[in-house]
Amino acid sequence: KLELLLNEVRRLDGMVNDFLKLARGYDLSLQKVQLNDVLQELVDLTEPRAAKSGVQIRFFKKPDLPKLSLDREVFKQAVLNLMINALDAMPKGGELIISAESKDGRVVLTVTDTGEGIAAEKIDKIFNPYFSTKKGGTGLGLPTSRRIVEEHGGTIAVVSDEGQGTAFTVALPVDAGAKGNTHG
């Protein structure tokens, strides 16, 4: 029972920390980063979990992407949240497709899954803190991802077809710095 209690305390502590980061923002340490390198790290990290769920990850690298001003670790968390949600939406397998391209002074990253999709009546709520469609979900993953993307001067959008899958699109400026707290 003590172990269960300790696990619950750790879970709650993590939720409180996630909420505080969401509320306060991030102290970003920006560096010029090649997005393909960040995405490859995340693909390597999530591949074992994907394979266990019967999900094939397809990562389309564009070799000519410009470098971006990112806080590498913070930004990785934003994309990891999107990838984990995609994997959770495909419990019976499917495809997780990751791509990025340079377009109109921005780098556009797309994370697409062939999973269950999001019901039309829920799509407007998914970025609200504490709203979750997952059993046991905290409802902080997508709001955190949005906050991180916006603090990097970017935008995030979603398109979903219930029963067909979901695509999150993150657009980041090539030249501009982040909007939030920065140093480095």
Side-chain angles (χ1 to χ4, degrees):
K1 286 185 178 185
L2 184 59
E3 185 65 32
L4 287 174
L5 184 60
L6 285 173
N7 285 338
E8 185 62 13
V9 167
R10 285 186 201 110
R11 187 184 72 80
L12 291 172
D13 184 53
M15 279 180 60
V16 168
N17 285 328
D18 288 346
F19 174 76
L20 290 173
K21 286 178 185 172
L22 181 64
R24 287 189 204 136
Y26 294 83
D27 187 19
L28 300 179
S29 180
L30 300 178
Q31 297 176 345
K32 287 291 188 182
V33 174
Q34 178 50 254
L35 185 60
N36 280 331
D37 296 341
V38 173
L39 296 176
Q40 186 63 60
E41 287 176 27
L42 291 169
V43 167
D44 293 345
L45 178 69
T46 55
E47 263 181 336
R49 179 176 173 179
K52 197 182 268 192
S53 301
V55 173
Q56 179 185 5
I57 298 178
R58 294 178 34 209
F59 175 30
F60 297 98
K61 289 184 188 180
K62 292 270 186 170
D64 59 344
L65 285 182
K67 287 189 173 187
L68 299 172
S69 292
L70 298 177
D71 183 312
R72 184 184 192 100
E73 294 307 311
V74 172
F75 190 75
K76 277 173 56 176
Q77 184 60 55
V79 179
L80 182 61
N81 288 344
L82 299 178
M83 293 173 73
I84 288 171
N85 283 354
L87 292 175
D88 289 346
M90 299 181 285
K92 297 176 183 160
E95 288 184 327
L96 171 56
I97 304 157
I98 315 253
S99 64
E101 65 180 332
S102 183
K103 190 176 182 177
D104 301 324
R106 300 174 84 72
V107 170
V108 179
L109 161 66
T110 306
V111 177
T112 305
D113 69 65
T114 59
E116 301 166 349
I118 303 167
E121 66 273 8
K122 295 179 180 175
I123 201 90
D124 291 336
K125 300 175 187 170
I126 63 170
F127 290 108
N128 293 345
Y130 306 112
F131 178 81
S132 180
T133 60
K134 293 191 275 188
K135 183 178 180 182
T138 63
L140 293 174
L142 289 176
T144 297
S145 290
R146 181 171 70 180
R147 177 76 184 248
I148 291 169
V149 167
E150 288 174 351
E151 287 196 17
H152 281 87
T155 60
I156 186 169
V158 61
V159 175
S160 188
D161 244 342
E162 196 168 5
Q164 300 295 312
T166 302
F168 283 90
T169 303
V170 174
L172 298 162
V174 172
D175 297 321
K179 294 169 75 172
N181 300 324
T182 62
H183 69 276

